[in-house]
Structures are given as structure tokens and as C-alpha cells.
């Protein structure tokens, strides 16, 4: 996925890591700000019992703002 466009919104630069639910990537947004993009594995994301966990994580991460 490196150096590819994701949804025409993010240019993926490199993979940061992976875990049980998917992968994370360092990317540039359309304003050339560095961001972290989390890609969830499809097979686990469709489990409705896990959706509240994903939603809570997304809300929590949306409050982070790290210059670095």
C-alpha cells in the first residue's frame, strides 16, 4: 500500500505497524499534513459485536494532535 492514494484523500508513505484488527500507515492528507491511517481487516470489521470498540477507538484517536 505504500506510495499509493487511499480514497483520493491520503498518500500512504510507509507502514507503521500491524495488529489484531489491521494495519497502520503514515500518510499525507490533501493539505500535506502528516497523518496516521488505520486500515481495518474486513473479516473482523463486519462483526457487529466489535463495532462499538472500533467506534470508541476512532473517537478517542480523533482528539490526538501530535506535531512530529
Amino acid at each position: 500500500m505504500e506510495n499509493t492514494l487511499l480514497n483520493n484523500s491520503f498518500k500512504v508513505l510507509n507502514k507503521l505497524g500491524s495488529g489484531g484488527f489491521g494495519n497502520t500507515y503514515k500518510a499525507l492528507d490533501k493539505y500535506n499534513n502528516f497523518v496516521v491511517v488505520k486500515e481495518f481487516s474486513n473479516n473482523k470489521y463486519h462483526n457487529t459485536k466489535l463495532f462499538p470498540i472500533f467506534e470508541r477507538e476512532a473517537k478517542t484517536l480523533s482528539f490526538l494532535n501530535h506535531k512530529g
Side-chain angles (χ1 to χ4, degrees):
M1 178 179 266
E2 294 174 20
N3 293 318
T4 61
L5 287 176
L6 182 63
N7 297 333
N8 294 322
S9 298
F10 303 100
K11 180 180 180 185
V12 176
L13 303 174
N14 62 299
K15 186 175 181 177
L16 296 173
S18 60
F21 293 122
N23 302 310
T24 54
Y25 300 91
K26 181 178 181 179
L28 287 171
D29 67 9
K30 60 184 176 181
Y31 304 107
N32 282 329
N33 295 310
F34 288 105
V35 295
V36 174
V37 176
K38 188 160 191 172
E39 174 188 56
F40 291 103
S41 301
N42 285 338
N43 59 341
K44 294 180 182 179
Y45 183 71
H46 291 293
N47 182 338
T48 56
K49 291 180 183 178
L50 295 177
F51 187 77
I53 296 169
F54 296 138
E55 187 175 34
R56 185 172 54 242
E57 180 178 1
K59 286 180 181 178
T60 302
L61 293 175
S62 72
F63 288 105
L64 299 178
N65 185 9
H66 185 272
K67 305 288 185 195

